[in-house]
Amino acid sequence: MDSDTPKTLIEHFSVLEDIRDARKRRHLLIDLLIIAITAVICGADGWTQIEEFGKSNEAWFRKFLKLPNGIPAHDTFGRVFSLLSPAAFQKCFSAWVESVREVHEGEEIVAIDGKSLRRSHDRKRGIGPLHMVSAWAVNSRIVLGQRATEAKSNEITAIPELLDTLMLRGCIVTIDAMGCQKAIAEKIVERGGDYVLALKGNQGNLSEQVEEAFIDADARDYDGVQSDYFETVERGHGRCETRRYWTLGALDGIEQKDQWKKLNTIGMVESIREQDGHTSSEYRYYIASTGNDAQRFATAVRGHWGVENDLHWSLDVSFREDESRIRERQAAENFSVLRHIALARLKNEKTLKRGIKTKRLKAGWDEKYRAKLLFDVV
């Protein structure tokens, strides 16, 4: 490999502190990290596969890694990643993300959502599956950060910690009803962002008042009401989906409006699905700081819905995340970061017009393509 090849990943992850006993170290921490990152990009889903990938490509790795004692064993990878601080690893990952993140026209939508790693539970120790809360940049198609919790119910405490690590100026943050909290809204605004937060029964009177405001506006046919409207229609695979978005800028009927930082809009979405002669509809309600602009509101809501396909589906189908049996908590959390690094590189590489699974295979087969994913800003 050319000595002038930019080593962005190596530079960012070289700052990680190695807490192992210096007298017993046989392998450099940066070597372990780069081998693991590369192997996961190329299809490895566990420590044994990472070891085998490293051994099969040792000559290639020696072009830019020192490898004083060859390729580490899978037990070494597992042990090191169980000792590595997830917070420190995440910090390096976030710094790298900001260095390679593309700047897109318009606002960035940051969808915060949680996902459980189903097989990460440890029944013998009475530990349930690890739950990861991630911040997904919808336009950049990259994970900006993550926090681990022991259960979905703990998202309320994990979300503010995650927000503290993010640069949100010029972004709209979207969160489902679990994260619809006054402190979270305030944190988003403090970090320079706007918010669109989903409402459900967990907000009691607020949810009821928002719904009543739209019932009243609809009864008046929105005449004389400070409102905006936007609609989308999608057809395909024998079905038609119509989504209607309304926003209201007058919040006189919302008793708590002054308790929510920068709250200036409430929103409603009606989703209508027609398929095989059957029609179904559903209403959702939101609070927001995005102003009385239904199209802007619609962009944020649709961006959040897309996190299931762009992030969670890719992790489950292409990276088999739900099948991972890594149960040691720090190791499981750190392996999740490895997946996010790989997903970011693969989704944002535009020269190969193929799916994630095919790109992973090609990276394993083609050294030039692998080097592009590992070192180039794609």
Side-chain angles (χ1 to χ4, degrees):
M1 184 173 295
D2 192 301
S3 60
D4 291 331
T5 300
K7 295 178 174 58
T8 306
L9 273 172
I10 293 178
E11 290 171 353
H12 278 93
F13 288 95
S14 291
V15 301
L16 273 173
E17 180 184 2
D18 193 340
I19 64 173
R20 296 175 294 166
D21 187 336
R23 296 168 298 178
K24 298 180 180 179
R25 296 176 197 165
R26 299 186 64 249
H27 304 282
L28 300 176
L29 180 60
I30 191 61
D31 290 357
L32 286 153
L33 294 173
I34 296 301
I35 293 169
I37 291 170
T38 310
V40 172
I41 287 175
C42 296
D45 296 315
W47 310 125
T48 300
Q49 293 177 13
I50 289 174
E51 176 192 355
E52 292 304 320
F53 179 84
K55 288 180 177 178
S56 298
N57 294 277
E58 183 172 354
W60 184 78
F61 279 117
R62 285 193 178 278
K63 295 177 181 179
F64 54 92
L65 299 179
K66 293 181 179 179
L67 300 176
N69 290 290
I71 300 297
H74 64 275
D75 287 341
T76 302
F77 281 105
R79 183 171 61 256
V80 170
F81 276 90
S82 68
L83 295 172
L84 188 64
S85 164
F89 194 28
Q90 176 64 47
K91 185 176 181 180
C92 290
F93 169 65
S94 297
W96 169 76
V97 163
E98 289 301 324
S99 74
V100 302
R101 183 176 166 192
E102 294 182 8
V103 177
H104 292 266
E105 292 185 5
E107 289 178 302
E108 179 65 272
I109 309 301
V110 177
I112 295 182
D113 201 21
K115 179 182 182 298
S116 292
L117 282 62
R118 295 180 183 176
R119 296 199 179 185
S120 62
H121 60 79
D122 190 337
R123 289 195 179 96
K124 291 182 179 179
R125 298 168 60 191
I127 299 174
L130 190 66
H131 190 77
M132 302 299 301
V133 180
S134 301
W136 174 253
V138 173
N139 296 328
S140 301
R141 302 203 302 174
I142 196 168
V143 174
L144 302 179
Q146 65 177 23
R147 278 294 181 272
T149 71
E150 294 299 326
K152 181 175 177 60
S153 59
N154 293 337
E155 285 188 13
I156 293 174
T157 57
I159 291 172
E161 294 175 2
L162 177 57
L163 290 171
D164 276 333
T165 69
L166 305 177
M167 299 174 62
L168 298 177
R169 191 164 302 280
C171 299
I172 299 176
V173 178
T174 64
I175 313 177
D176 64 16
M178 178 69 77
C180 188
Q181 304 287 328
K182 296 183 184 71
I184 290 175
E186 184 173 359
K187 178 75 70 175
I188 292 168
V189 174
E190 287 176 355
R191 303 294 294 174
D194 279 310
Y195 59 83
V196 172
L197 307 178
L199 282 170
K200 280 189 179 178
N202 66 321
Q203 286 298 332
N205 290 339
L206 177 61
S207 181
E208 293 174 5
Q209 290 167 11
V210 169
E211 186 173 353
E212 285 293 332
F214 279 102
I215 291 173
D216 180 63
D218 187 66
R220 297 163 59 183
D221 199 24
Y222 292 89
D223 184 36
V225 177
Q226 185 182 343
S227 66
D228 198 26
Y229 176 78
F230 183 71
E231 180 177 312
T232 63
V233 179
E234 295 180 2
R235 293 181 174 85
H237 305 289
R239 68 172 180 265
C240 175
E241 292 190 40
T242 302
R243 294 187 177 93
R244 299 168 178 168
Y245 303 84
W246 288 269
T247 57
L248 295 178
L251 307 181
D252 296 339
I254 310 301
E255 296 175 0
Q256 303 177 34
K257 61 180 182 297
D258 295 331
Q259 299 176 26
W260 292 81
K261 189 77 169 182
K262 203 183 172 183
L263 174 62
N264 55 27
T265 308
I266 57 176
M268 179 177 71
V269 182
E270 180 186 15
S271 301
I272 305 169
R273 174 177 288 195
E274 301 172 68
Q275 187 171 17
D276 300 327
H278 300 284
T279 301
S280 62
S281 63
E282 180 183 13
Y283 289 87
R284 298 184 180 91
Y285 298 92
Y286 300 81
I287 60 172
S289 66
T290 52
N292 190 23
D293 184 333
Q295 186 169 356
R296 189 182 183 208
F297 167 67
T299 299
V301 171
R302 288 179 60 81
H304 189 86
W305 291 342
V307 74
E308 288 294 334
N309 291 330
D310 272 352
L311 177 60
H312 296 165
W313 188 88
S314 293
L315 290 173
D316 283 342
V317 174
S318 300
F319 289 84
R320 301 167 63 193
E321 184 173 65
D322 272 351
E323 297 178 33
S324 175
R325 294 183 178 274
I326 299 173
R327 292 188 169 91
E328 203 287 322
R329 277 299 185 254
Q330 290 198 173
E333 189 174 347
N334 286 324
F335 205 100
S336 181
V337 175
L338 292 175
R339 294 189 194 98
H340 289 165
I341 294 171
L343 183 63
R345 300 310 279 167
L346 294 162
K347 274 192 173 291
N348 288 282
E349 200 291 297
K350 303 296 197 306
T351 62
L352 181 63
K353 308 299 183 182
R354 295 289 186 270
I356 298 298
K357 186 175 180 180
T358 300
K359 287 182 175 182
R360 292 184 86 189
L361 290 170
K362 183 175 176 62
W365 297 330
D366 187 332
E367 291 185 357
K368 289 184 179 180
Y369 185 66
R370 184 190 311 155
K372 178 181 180 61
L373 288 167
L374 192 61
F375 297 120
D376 288 358
V377 177
V378 296

